[in-house]
Amino acid sequence: EAEVAQSPRYKITEKSQAVAFWCDPISGHATLYWYRQILGQGPELLVQFQDESVVDDSQLPKDRFSAERLKGVDSTLKIQPAELGDSAMYLCASSLIFGTPSYEQYFGPGTRLTVT
Amino acid sequence: QKEVEQNSGPLSVPEGAIASLNCTYSDRGSQSFFWYRQYSGKSPELIMFIYSNGDKEDGRFTAQLNKASQYVSLLIRDSQPSDSATYLCAVLTGGGNKLTFGTGTQLKVEL
């Protein structure tokens, strides 16, 4: 069964350092999402790509976060510099299409980030 | 007012009972609604989606949607200990382009 791949699964970094996460969506899925999930809360959308274009990055803290999907396939999310409040699970998801009633997102295993 | 609201729980039910999870949403134009299950430390897993008023059944799970009252619910029949997890309600908002999640309801099924 096709799955969304993410790496690393766990990351511990010191504040002010740079950190990067990678995501490979399900083959053929044009839409890719990065979410942040703080413990006890639901996932919050950071950025959404349709192919290589950003559709929504309104909740992305652009002073420290960046995301790219250069060839419209895999994607990288970067944080520089990391802050203590960035400790969370970073989830990548993909979907075949969006904006239709049968829209379904499939999540990867996530990256657990701890900033010390 | 939050866009998607859920009672955080925990909701405790005995094994074999029906668990009822509720969710309300604020965007009256929302079209599609999703229930995800999330085990501790794991990523969300899609259980069901619904976009028509009424009930939709899939095995032990039934999703119910009432657009006039702006609520969606999930019923789990014959609850099992393996159903113990956090259940996230998600609503397709922003004209159908954005999935907004609630904070989740923690369900505990007790032996």
Side-chain angles (χ1 to χ4, degrees), chain A residues 7-44:
Chain A
S7 66
R9 295 291 306 278
Y10 305 91
K11 180 70 178 180
I12 300 174
T13 190
E14 294 181 348
K15 64 180 182 179
S16 79
Q17 295 299 303
V19 63
F21 313 128
W22 176 80
C23 172
D24 192 12
I26 294 173
S27 179
H29 280 197
T31 312
L32 184 148
Y33 315 81
W34 283 102
Y35 290 89
R36 176 173 59 188
Q37 185 175 23
I38 296 170
L39 194 63
Q41 299 184 19
E44 174 194 25

Side-chain angles (χ1 to χ4, degrees), chain A residues 84-97:
Chain A
L84 295 177
D86 296 331
S87 295
M89 175 80 88
Y90 289 82
L91 295 161
C92 179
S94 70
S95 67
L96 190 57
I97 52 177

Side-chain angles (χ1 to χ4, degrees), chain A residues 35 37 40-43 45 48 56 59 89 91 98-105 107-109, chain B residues 32 34 36 38 41-46 49 51 88 92 95-99 101-104:
Chain A
Y35 290 89
Q37 185 175 23
Q41 299 184 19
L45 180 68
Q48 176 180 338
D56 184 349
Q59 299 303 310
M89 175 80 88
L91 295 161
F98 72 93
T100 69
S102 61
Y103 158 112
E104 296 178 37
Q105 289 188 24
F107 284 84
Chain B
S32 300
F34 303 79
Y36 284 81
Q38 187 172 29
K42 303 296 185 181
S43 60
E45 171 193 12
L46 181 65
F49 67 88
Y51 50 86
L88 297 163
L92 201 58
N97 293 328
K98 181 177 178 179
L99 201 59
F101 286 84
T103 56

Side-chain angles (χ1 to χ4, degrees), chain B residues 60-77:
Chain B
R60 296 187 297 112
F61 299 95
T62 299
Q64 299 175 318
L65 175 61
N66 184 323
K67 290 186 178 180
S69 299
Q70 295 178 244
Y71 85 79
V72 58
S73 62
L74 179 70
L75 300 178
I76 307 174
R77 290 181 299 282

